[in-house]
Amino acid sequence: MSYANELESRYRDMIGQITGNEKLNVTNVVYGEPSLSFRNLQDLSHFDLDWGEVELDGRMINEALSLTGVSAYWESSDPLPEICGEFCMPSPVEILSMGVDPAAEMMEDSFHREFVSQLRPFDVAQVSTPRYMSSIRITPLTKPLEVWFHDLTIMETPPYPVAYTKLDLTFVEYQEALLLTKGLRGWQYLFADVSLTDPGLSDIGERLEQDFEVLPAIFPDDDFSPLIERLEARL
């Protein structure tokens, strides 16, 4: 079995782990059909003439999910404290076919406009938190492509626009991490160079602390210690 097929199988199991869990209320569940992979889409100039010199890294080409879509929204059920998670990832073709985020035109700074125009979302919250989204930054001569997270915080990361945070993950590493996090709201900050005690992020840090007290009761077969260690390092 190829790693890409193994990853798809692990996602299928994870979807089953969520939908079959009596401690969760689950909606928006999708596990799509096989789709064109990034291996079939390496000439990115077909999507944008400015992407002729953009190269995908080997793991993205050979190991990334290639489904028409995979998504779920879940929230804890009574009597557990309220926590939630969400993920919604389209096919490789959909990711590359997305147009420029309209937010780019709202940027007054030319660097900010160019930066936002380079982003293509691949994991977007539709229920839990508006404008939570993770994107690949499609730029030439950058390999692997950067992964950025955006939400509605007021955190500043000069020279980049407010509320955009670079993640210490490649595209495939993000998909691997999501298998353990189950899309827990705000998990992306565990893979960012941030302090969750900063004023703009302290609420997120406190919530994640509470969430990791509940998550093991919902998924007792999972070892969340690597994520908890990352959280502690940012508090």
Side-chain angles (χ1 to χ4, degrees):
M1 178 187 294
S2 70
Y3 186 82
N5 289 337
E6 178 186 336
L7 192 62
E8 290 175 10
S9 177
R10 291 167 66 190
Y11 263 85
R12 186 185 300 110
D13 292 343
M14 189 257 284
I15 291 287
Q17 187 183 21
I18 291 172
T19 56
N21 197 318
E22 62 182 13
K23 297 175 182 178
L24 297 178
N25 299 314
V26 186
T27 59
N28 292 19
V29 178
V30 172
Y31 183 86
E33 299 297 323
S35 176
L36 289 176
S37 69
F38 285 111
R39 171 176 287 280
N40 305 114
L41 307 169
Q42 292 184 63
D43 185 354
L44 300 189
S45 64
H46 292 303
F47 297 92
D48 190 313
L49 292 176
D50 292 333
W51 293 352
E53 295 185 357
V54 175
E55 293 185 53
L56 306 180
D57 68 89
R59 293 202 71 194
M60 197 169 176
I61 292 169
N62 297 312
E63 301 178 8
L65 288 173
S66 54
L67 300 170
T68 52
V70 57
S71 67
Y73 169 77
W74 57 265
E75 56 186 25
S76 56
S77 57
D78 292 336
L80 289 172
E82 182 180 343
I83 70 171
C84 69
E86 183 176 14
F87 51 91
C88 182
M89 294 186 290
S91 70
V93 171
E94 288 181 273
I95 294 169
L96 295 174
S97 299
M98 290 182 185
V100 174
D101 188 335
E105 292 304 316
M106 300 171 62
M107 301 288 172
E108 297 182 1
D109 180 273
S110 60
F111 174 78
H112 290 180
R113 283 196 300 274
E114 180 182 22
F115 169 78
V116 175
S117 70
Q118 294 168 338
L119 300 177
R120 293 298 182 273
F122 67 86
D123 184 15
V124 181
Q126 299 180 328
V127 180
S128 58
T129 313
R131 292 293 291 180
Y132 255 43
M133 62 183 182
S134 298
S135 305
I136 49 173
R137 184 185 180 190
I138 302 183
T139 51
L141 308 178
T142 303
K143 196 173 178 180
L145 298 179
E146 297 173 352
V147 174
W148 286 77
F149 179 62
H150 175 268
D151 70 3
L152 295 179
T153 66
I154 58 172
M155 183 182 62
E156 296 188 14
T157 55
Y160 302 98
V162 170
Y164 288 88
T165 306
K166 186 177 181 294
L167 301 187
D168 185 23
L169 291 168
T170 65
F171 184 85
V172 174
E173 288 171 346
Y174 184 102
Q175 294 187 333
E176 292 170 330
L178 198 149
L179 285 166
L180 180 58
T181 68
K182 311 293 189 294
L184 181 69
R185 183 173 54 174
W187 73 266
Q188 292 88 347
Y189 283 112
L190 303 179
F191 294 86
D193 184 16
V194 298
S195 170
L196 293 174
T197 60
D198 287 348
L201 297 175
S202 59
D203 288 349
I204 294 171
E206 292 172 4
R207 188 182 68 237
L208 285 171
E209 280 191 287
Q210 297 166 3
D211 290 351
F212 278 112
E213 293 177 359
V214 179
L215 208 59
I218 299 175
F219 302 103
D221 296 331
D222 287 299
D223 178 12
F224 295 105
S225 57
L227 300 178
I228 294 172
E229 288 173 6
R230 284 185 166 273
L231 174 61
E232 290 173 346
R234 287 158 178 78
L235 293 174

